[in-house]
Amino acid sequence: MCRTASEKCTVIKRGKVDITLEVSSQSVSTDPAPSPHSLRTATPGGLKPTTEDLIEQCPRFRILVIGKTGAGKSSLINRIFGIKDAHAAHDKPGEAEIEKELISPQNERFILHDSQGFEPAEGSNYDIVKSFIEVRKKMPHIKDQLHAVWLCFPVPIIENGERLLEDGAEKFLKESSKALGNIPTVVVFTKCDYLVAHMQMSGKGDLEAEMKQYLQKHCVEPIQKFLEGKVICHVAVSSNPKCEQGHDELTNLTYERVSESFNSQSNMVSPVPFAAAGAQRMVPTVKIESSINVGKQRYWRALATSPNFPGFTMLECLSVIHTDIVSAWNFYDPSGYLKSKEFRDMMVNVVDNADPATKSPPVSTSPTPRDTYSGVSIPLVAATVVILPFVAGLALVRWVNESYERLQNVHQTFMAYIVDLTHVLEILFALKGNEKEKGLTRTAIKLAIKAYFESSWMKNNHELIRQFKPTIADRDVIVEKIQALVLASGRETRVISVVKEIPPVDLERDEKWYRG
């Protein structure tokens, strides 16, 4: 049975019947684990982000979505990948629709191949799809192979004479194991909101139980019939904002299947699951887990002992970790704000101002009542400036230019930076809501920083880090503690609570980092 984990309650809860199309594992060769001395790169005096190699090997998550016109594919893609629309990267004469690489400027980490369904009106589409899949399976480079397939079928209303499968789809399913091979595949039953509305009009009693029974009888079992009883991974979804469901489950399930199929040797991060985690913009936990995997591969493992960062300043060490975490989240950030010096400096200030052991002399910012998050409903106008509780730059941060090996309790500083940055990005992710196709602004970023900085959540995290004093320099213990803090239970509730305290502000207004 395929395992899934949904992050939030949906409008309608369903029993999970997982569908697997004979998925087997395939190994992806990656470079061996680096030695401490290999942390330096060809860039003079620099540390190379781990994510650079991963993105170079697989820049985009490549997914094939199959479904007839009107199956709800566009709204599904737009919602999960946080885009407005997708267009062909290159139009080639005589190229079949399925061969076109559809990309979006709002998300540079995925490629979509769109195929119509198999109904009679689509002619020989069955042969086209089968041939396309076969060609992609033989591609020598992993970035050119198909990483996942979604088979989309609108949920039929049987009483209205609708069918789940056309003849061509039945033929494809019969030969799916051979055609798809070990490509991670999920069957997606779309437009579930129509079924909800139909059942509500019919006066069904236990809607949840009726939905589960209906989907099993009229969607799952017909497909299993053509698969000769094989288990399949499936999700029922609705992209209707008033009845949205299943997107988290589909995201999680796809990521899990991709991680299983494209595994790596020696517990190294595989570039395809990393691409999948970055491309999706639905489930923050998937992004956090991906950034943890990246950190554990190289730099987080080096936090325990100073010889692993010989001669580097704290700022240089934090910078490469910052880049890896931000890359894993893959926000639509056309101006590059999250990798800017200003944002990095702000995150250093968050760590510095919150830690009594390293805290620099206080600086008065005296924000006006209209600039504070007091919990009281204070009206804000579009011109209101978000004021941060620290000054620009790093002039007052004494430890930032110290070499790694000279700073006491250095692991605590690194832990605080990783935890703080992760939670700030998580708040920013929630703050963007369903508008992730819109570019980040400095206003939104500053709101996320300020909200986290003034929360009890941050204070609690820093207190736990200060109390954490391993008796021996055990990198595994340190990494495990970081992981426990960034994935702590109740995290989602804290994010919601923090975001609710943020007054309404125009997130599209791109104000300066600091006043003056």
Side-chain angles (χ1 to χ4, degrees):
M1 202 60 129
C2 300
R3 181 179 57 85
T4 65
S6 184
E7 264 196 55
K8 63 182 181 182
C9 295
T10 53
V11 176
I12 300 170
K13 298 179 181 178
R14 298 188 299 101
K16 299 174 186 172
V17 182
D18 295 336
I19 310 179
T20 303
L21 297 174
E22 289 189 314
V23 175
S24 62
S25 295
Q26 58 186 30
S27 294
V28 177
S29 178
T30 54
D31 295 333
S35 67
H37 302 292
S38 69
L39 297 180
R40 284 193 182 275
T41 69
T43 304
L47 289 163
K48 185 177 181 179
T50 306
T51 51
E52 273 190 23
D53 288 337
L54 293 171
I55 294 173
E56 183 178 351
Q57 293 176 67
C58 186
R60 297 175 184 266
F61 177 60
R62 187 180 296 271
I63 184 169
L64 168 62
V65 180
I66 302 174
K68 66 182 182 181
T69 302
K73 294 179 294 180
S74 295
S75 55
L76 181 66
I77 290 293
N78 293 350
R79 182 71 180 93
I80 288 185
F81 294 103
I83 64 172
K84 189 175 182 180
D85 51 42
H87 63 271
H90 306 285
D91 265 328
K92 300 177 182 178
E95 185 178 49
E97 287 297 317
I98 194 174
E99 294 174 342
K100 292 180 179 178
E101 297 183 334
L102 303 180
I103 61 174
S104 170
Q106 293 103 30
N107 189 339
E108 297 182 347
R109 300 283 276 280
F110 95 108
I111 289 179
L112 167 67
H113 291 278
D114 183 18
S115 171
Q116 301 302 316
F118 305 107
E119 58 266 38
E122 301 300 338
S124 60
N125 195 48
Y126 168 80
D127 293 326
I128 293 173
V129 172
K130 185 178 178 182
S131 175
F132 172 78
I133 293 173
E134 193 62 33
V135 169
R136 284 287 166 181
K137 283 196 293 186
K138 295 177 181 178
M139 291 284 185
H141 299 294
I142 196 171
K143 65 183 180 65
D144 298 319
Q145 298 170 12
L146 284 177
H147 305 141
V149 175
W150 288 348
L151 300 175
C152 297
F153 301 103
V155 175
I157 306 301
I158 302 300
E159 294 178 13
N160 294 344
E162 298 175 359
R163 292 181 59 192
L164 175 70
L165 303 172
E166 301 294 339
D167 293 340
E170 294 174 355
K171 181 180 178 182
F172 182 82
L173 288 171
K174 287 179 180 178
E175 300 183 13
S176 60
S177 295
K178 180 180 179 181
L180 293 167
N182 57 1
I183 302 173
T185 302
V186 180
V187 175
V188 186
F189 301 121
T190 60
K191 297 194 171 184
C192 207
D193 51 300
Y194 285 91
L195 179 60
V196 174
H198 176 74
M199 287 190 162
Q200 288 175 336
M201 290 180 62
S202 301
K204 299 292 184 180
D206 189 340
L207 189 59
E208 180 180 336
E210 292 288 341
M211 282 281 293
K212 179 179 178 181
Q213 183 178 1
Y214 186 98
L215 290 168
Q216 178 66 25
K217 180 178 179 180
H218 298 294
C219 295
V220 178
E221 290 179 2
I223 289 181
Q224 286 181 324
K225 172 185 174 183
F226 293 102
L227 296 176
E228 298 179 352
K230 295 184 180 71
V231 183
I232 57 174
C233 298
H234 85 275
V235 181
V237 304
S238 167
S239 297
N240 185 335
K242 296 181 180 180
C243 189
E244 187 173 287
Q245 78 166 86
H247 294 122
D248 282 9
E249 186 177 355
L250 176 57
T251 301
N252 278 315
L253 185 54
T254 302
Y255 178 67
E256 289 172 6
R257 299 286 77 77
V258 168
S259 298
E260 291 173 1
S261 184
F262 293 90
N263 56 25
S264 60
Q265 299 173 353
S266 305
N267 295 320
M268 300 289 284
V269 177
S270 172
V272 177
F274 176 76
Q280 64 84 24
R281 287 176 174 160
M282 274 303 305
V283 184
T285 298
V286 169
K287 294 186 178 294
I288 294 173
E289 290 176 349
S290 180
S291 70
I292 290 173
N293 292 336
V294 169
K296 290 164 70 173
Q297 177 169 312
R298 179 175 292 185
Y299 292 113
W300 294 15
R301 292 180 355 192
L303 296 183
T305 55
S306 60
N308 287 312
F309 285 118
F312 289 108
T313 66
M314 284 295 296
L315 187 60
E316 290 173 323
C317 299
L318 291 175
S319 179
V320 72
I321 290 175
H322 179 106
T323 298
D324 277 341
I325 293 175
V326 168
S327 294
W329 279 82
N330 183 38
F331 281 90
Y332 178 39
D333 185 16
S335 299
Y337 289 142
L338 292 180
K339 293 185 180 179
S340 68
K341 179 181 183 300
E342 291 83 359
F343 179 59
R344 295 172 192 267
D345 289 353
M346 287 178 179
M347 291 310 307
V348 170
N349 273 291
V350 169
V351 174
D352 181 68
N353 279 267
D355 190 348
T358 62
K359 187 173 174 64
S360 304
V363 176
S364 175
T365 55
S366 301
T368 65
R370 296 174 68 84
D371 297 315
T372 60
Y373 299 150
S374 62
V376 180
S377 179
I378 302 175
L380 295 176
V381 295
T384 301
V385 177
V386 181
I387 300 178
L388 296 172
F390 34 76
V391 298
L394 299 175
L396 299 177
V397 184
R398 296 169 176 169
W399 51 267
V400 76
N401 289 314
E402 291 281 352
S403 64
Y404 181 95
E405 55 264 33
R406 292 181 57 185
L407 194 66
Q408 291 186 344
N409 296 322
V410 66
H411 66 278
Q412 293 181 338
T413 302
F414 272 104
M415 291 172 67
Y417 193 95
I418 293 168
V419 172
D420 291 346
L421 176 59
T422 299
H423 290 325
V424 166
L425 295 179
E426 196 169 6
I427 292 170
L428 183 60
F429 190 87
L431 196 60
K432 292 292 292 181
N434 295 340
E435 297 185 343
K436 295 182 177 64
E437 76 283 357
K438 296 182 179 180
L440 286 182
T441 63
R442 287 168 289 192
T443 300
I445 296 170
K446 288 166 61 179
L447 280 170
I449 295 173
K450 185 175 175 67
Y452 178 70
F453 187 87
E454 296 180 348
S455 70
S456 60
W457 188 18
M458 189 203 70
K459 295 179 179 63
N460 181 62
N461 284 332
H462 279 269
E463 182 58 32
L464 291 173
I465 291 170
R466 283 193 293 271
Q467 293 175 1
F468 177 68
K469 297 178 180 179
T471 55
I472 58 174
D474 188 334
R475 70 185 184 191
D476 292 333
V477 171
I478 294 175
V479 171
E480 287 171 5
K481 184 64 175 180
I482 295 173
Q483 188 167 337
L485 288 171
V486 297
L487 290 174
S489 60
R491 190 188 77 258
E492 296 91 343
T493 302
R494 285 186 176 272
V495 172
I496 293 172
S497 176
V498 169
V499 171
K500 282 184 177 179
E501 292 298 315
I502 300 177
V505 173
D506 181 9
L507 297 179
E508 295 186 51
R509 188 184 77 251
D510 195 18
E511 65 185 41
K512 294 180 179 179
W513 287 114
Y514 291 95
R515 292 190 303 177

